[in-house]
């Protein structure tokens, strides 16, 4: 019974520590990002400073409007109006993860949320993350040189609420996973046989396919916030942590020592005296016991002498 109680206590403490660690690790996960666009301060620049981000439409400058978002500001993307190009973003043979908050206003067809691929065919080099207007959900698909295309999809209502979307491409385990609102969704894709890179034939784009013109054939209006690229495969715990984290929440104030008041504190009083009576009783009992022992020893000795 005691062993069972001990095991249960350890499990409860371990679970509590894991939950606390998950919440505490979220800022560290954000710090590890390779690309991070917050859309704050009227800007869509990469806050990590690794990539130049330009607003375009048809490879010419175009305005991307910043409006109220999930956290602070977000970018509004409209088909045939605008998209963002992240110049020089490559994925090579490494694992990577892409996370964002998205609010789908309206759509028809299967417009891309982000891509470095010509979305006319999933067999074109690169990958895309799109709204699946034909299956009512989201779809991620792509291809490397010499491999068959992978495809994973969801069946979920895509409109009228903010959703946290994550695509994890784990090249070490050979698994591609899509997460919706912090949870892995329905199915994964086997990419273990993919020997090439996912760099794509085009620059990486947000709000359009890699070629920069697929969404022009679709109705598309969406808001994107907190767009992040990691050059690693996020774990399920990582995804859950960043989904539940509010990057705009103020940091908890650090505890500071308070200054002691200037007034002179009174001298401490002597502690109240306790009664010596219990202690005296113990001493008396020990003395009596010792005396009895000595008398008994003397009697035994005298008996032996006689």
């Amino acid at each position: 019974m005691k062993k069972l109680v001990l095991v249960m206590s350890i499990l409860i403490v371990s679970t509590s520590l894991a939950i606390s660690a998950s919440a505490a690790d979220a800022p560290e996960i954000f710090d590890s990002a390779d690309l991070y666009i917050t859309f704050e301060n009227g800007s869509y620049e990469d806050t990590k400073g690794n990539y130049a981000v330009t607003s375009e439409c048809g490879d010419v400058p175009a305005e991307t409007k910043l409006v109220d978002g999930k956290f602070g500001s977000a970018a509004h993307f409209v088909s045939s109006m605008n998209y963002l190009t992240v110049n020089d973003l490559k994925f090579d043979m490494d694992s990577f993860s892409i996370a964002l908050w998205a609010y789908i206003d309206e759509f028809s067809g299967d417009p891309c949320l982000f891509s470095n691929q010509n979305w006319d065919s999933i067999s074109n080099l690169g990958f895309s993350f799109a709204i699946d207007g034909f299956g009512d959900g989201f779809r991620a698909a792509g291809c490397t040189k010499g491999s068959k295309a992978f495809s994973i999809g969801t069946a979920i209502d895509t409109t009228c609420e903010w959703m946290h979307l994550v695509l994890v491409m784990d090249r070490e385990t050979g698994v591609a996973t899509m997460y919706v609102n912090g949870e892995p969704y329905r199915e994964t894709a086997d990419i273990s046989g993919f020997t090439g890179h996912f760099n794509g034939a085009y620059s990486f784009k947000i709000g359009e396919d890699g070629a920069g013109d697929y969404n022009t054939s679709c109705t598309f209006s969406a808001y994107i916030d907190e767009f992040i690229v990691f050059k690693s495969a996020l774990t399920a715990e990582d995804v859950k942590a960043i989904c539940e984290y509010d990057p705009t929440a103020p940091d908890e104030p650090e505890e500071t020592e308070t200054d002691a008041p200037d007034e002179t504190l009174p001298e401490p009083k002597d502690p109240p005296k306790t009664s010596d009576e219990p202690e005296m009783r113990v001493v008396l009992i020990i003395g009596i016991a010792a005396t009895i022992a000595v008398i008994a020893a003397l009697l035994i000795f005298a008996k032996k002498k006689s």
Side-chain angles (χ1 to χ4, degrees), residues 225-241:
D225 200 355
E226 295 291 311
F227 193 94
I228 317 175
V229 175
F230 301 90
K231 290 297 183 67
S232 63
L234 296 180
T235 65
E237 292 76 14
D238 293 337
V239 173
K240 190 76 171 178

Side-chain angles (χ1 to χ4, degrees), residues 96-102 113-114 129 138-140 152-154 156 163-170 173 175-188 232-243:
F96 63 91
S97 306
I98 300 176
L100 68 153
W101 283 95
L113 291 177
F114 58 85
F129 193 108
F138 295 102
R139 185 183 185 198
I152 48 179
T154 68
I156 189 171
M163 287 172 286
H164 191 250
L165 308 173
V166 181
L167 174 65
V168 177
M169 303 288 285
D170 193 333
T173 63
V175 176
T177 308
M178 183 189 298
Y179 293 81
V180 178
N181 294 332
E183 300 294 337
Y185 201 83
R186 197 174 68 177
E187 62 184 30
T188 59
S232 63
L234 296 180
T235 65
E237 292 76 14
D238 293 337
V239 173
K240 190 76 171 178
I242 64 174
C243 176

Side-chain angles (χ1 to χ4, degrees), residues 3-21:
K3 289 183 178 180
L4 178 60
V5 172
L6 179 60
V7 171
M8 291 296 291
S9 300
I10 293 173
L11 288 174
I12 292 171
V13 171
S14 301
T15 303
S16 299
L17 290 175
I19 293 172
S20 300

Side-chain angles (χ1 to χ4, degrees), residues 13 75 108 119 132 172 184-185 190 207 213 228 233 238 246 267 273 295:
V13 171
S108 65
W119 188 226
D132 188 358
E172 293 186 8
Y185 201 83
D190 182 4
D213 59 7
I228 317 175
D238 293 337
D246 180 355
E267 291 292 331
K273 293 183 178 180
I295 293 172

Side-chain angles (χ1 to χ4, degrees), residues 202-225:
Y202 300 90
S203 297
F204 185 87
K205 294 180 176 62
I206 304 171
E208 188 43 288
D209 82 327
D213 59 7
Y214 186 87
N215 288 2
T216 60
S217 62
C218 309
T219 300
F220 177 62
S221 174
Y223 303 88
I224 292 177
D225 200 355

Side-chain angles (χ1 to χ4, degrees), residues 15-284:
T15 303
S16 299
L17 290 175
I19 293 172
S20 300
S22 176
D25 289 346
E28 296 180 10
I29 299 171
F30 276 80
D31 288 342
S32 69
D34 185 57
L35 166 78
Y36 185 12
I37 307 176
T38 64
F39 302 106
E40 299 305 311
N41 302 316
S43 173
Y44 44 76
E45 68 177 4
D46 171 24
T47 60
K48 307 298 290 187
N50 295 327
Y51 304 97
V53 182
T54 54
S55 180
E56 303 172 337
C57 183
D59 295 328
V60 297
E63 180 185 9
T64 293
K65 294 182 178 180
L66 301 182
V67 298
D68 290 341
K70 173 66 176 179
F71 303 107
S73 300
H76 186 199
F77 295 92
V78 181
S79 56
S80 303
M81 295 291 290
N82 66 300
Y83 55 80
L84 295 180
T85 299
V86 182
N87 298 281
D88 302 321
L89 175 58
K90 302 293 183 182
F91 299 94
D92 299 325
M93 297 296 295
D94 301 322
S95 298
F96 63 91
S97 306
I98 300 176
L100 68 153
W101 283 95
Y103 185 105
I104 312 303
D105 187 25
E106 61 175 332
F107 73 95
S108 65
D110 56 344
C112 283
L113 291 177
F114 58 85
S115 171
N116 64 358
Q117 174 191 49
N118 183 338
W119 188 226
D120 282 338
S121 171
I122 65 173
S123 296
N124 289 328
L125 188 63
F127 67 95
S128 300
F129 193 108
I131 304 170
D132 188 358
F134 309 105
D136 296 327
F138 295 102
R139 185 183 185 198
C143 188
T144 62
K145 187 175 182 180
S147 68
K148 293 182 179 180
F150 80 90
S151 179
I152 48 179
T154 68
I156 189 171
D157 184 5
T158 58
T159 58
C160 299
E161 67 174 4
W162 280 101
M163 287 172 286
H164 191 250
L165 308 173
V166 181
L167 174 65
V168 177
M169 303 288 285
D170 193 333
R171 302 302 300 268
E172 293 186 8
T173 63
V175 176
T177 308
M178 183 189 298
Y179 293 81
V180 178
N181 294 332
E183 300 294 337
Y185 201 83
R186 197 174 68 177
E187 62 184 30
T188 59
D190 182 4
I191 57 172
S192 58
F194 287 44
T195 57
H197 59 71
F198 282 101
N199 285 339
Y202 300 90
S203 297
F204 185 87
K205 294 180 176 62
I206 304 171
E208 188 43 288
D209 82 327
D213 59 7
Y214 186 87
N215 288 2
T216 60
S217 62
C218 309
T219 300
F220 177 62
S221 174
Y223 303 88
I224 292 177
D225 200 355
E226 295 291 311
F227 193 94
I228 317 175
V229 175
F230 301 90
K231 290 297 183 67
S232 63
L234 296 180
T235 65
E237 292 76 14
D238 293 337
V239 173
K240 190 76 171 178
I242 64 174
C243 176
E244 296 176 349
Y245 180 66
D246 180 355
T248 64
D251 296 331
E252 293 184 2
E254 297 182 1
E255 294 184 1
T256 57
E257 295 183 2
T258 56
D259 296 332
D262 294 334
E263 61 184 22
T264 304
L265 297 176
E267 291 292 331
K269 297 180 179 180
D270 293 333
K273 293 183 178 180
T274 57
S275 174
D276 296 333
E277 189 174 339
E279 185 176 347
M280 291 298 294
R281 287 179 182 174
V282 173
V283 173
L284 180 60

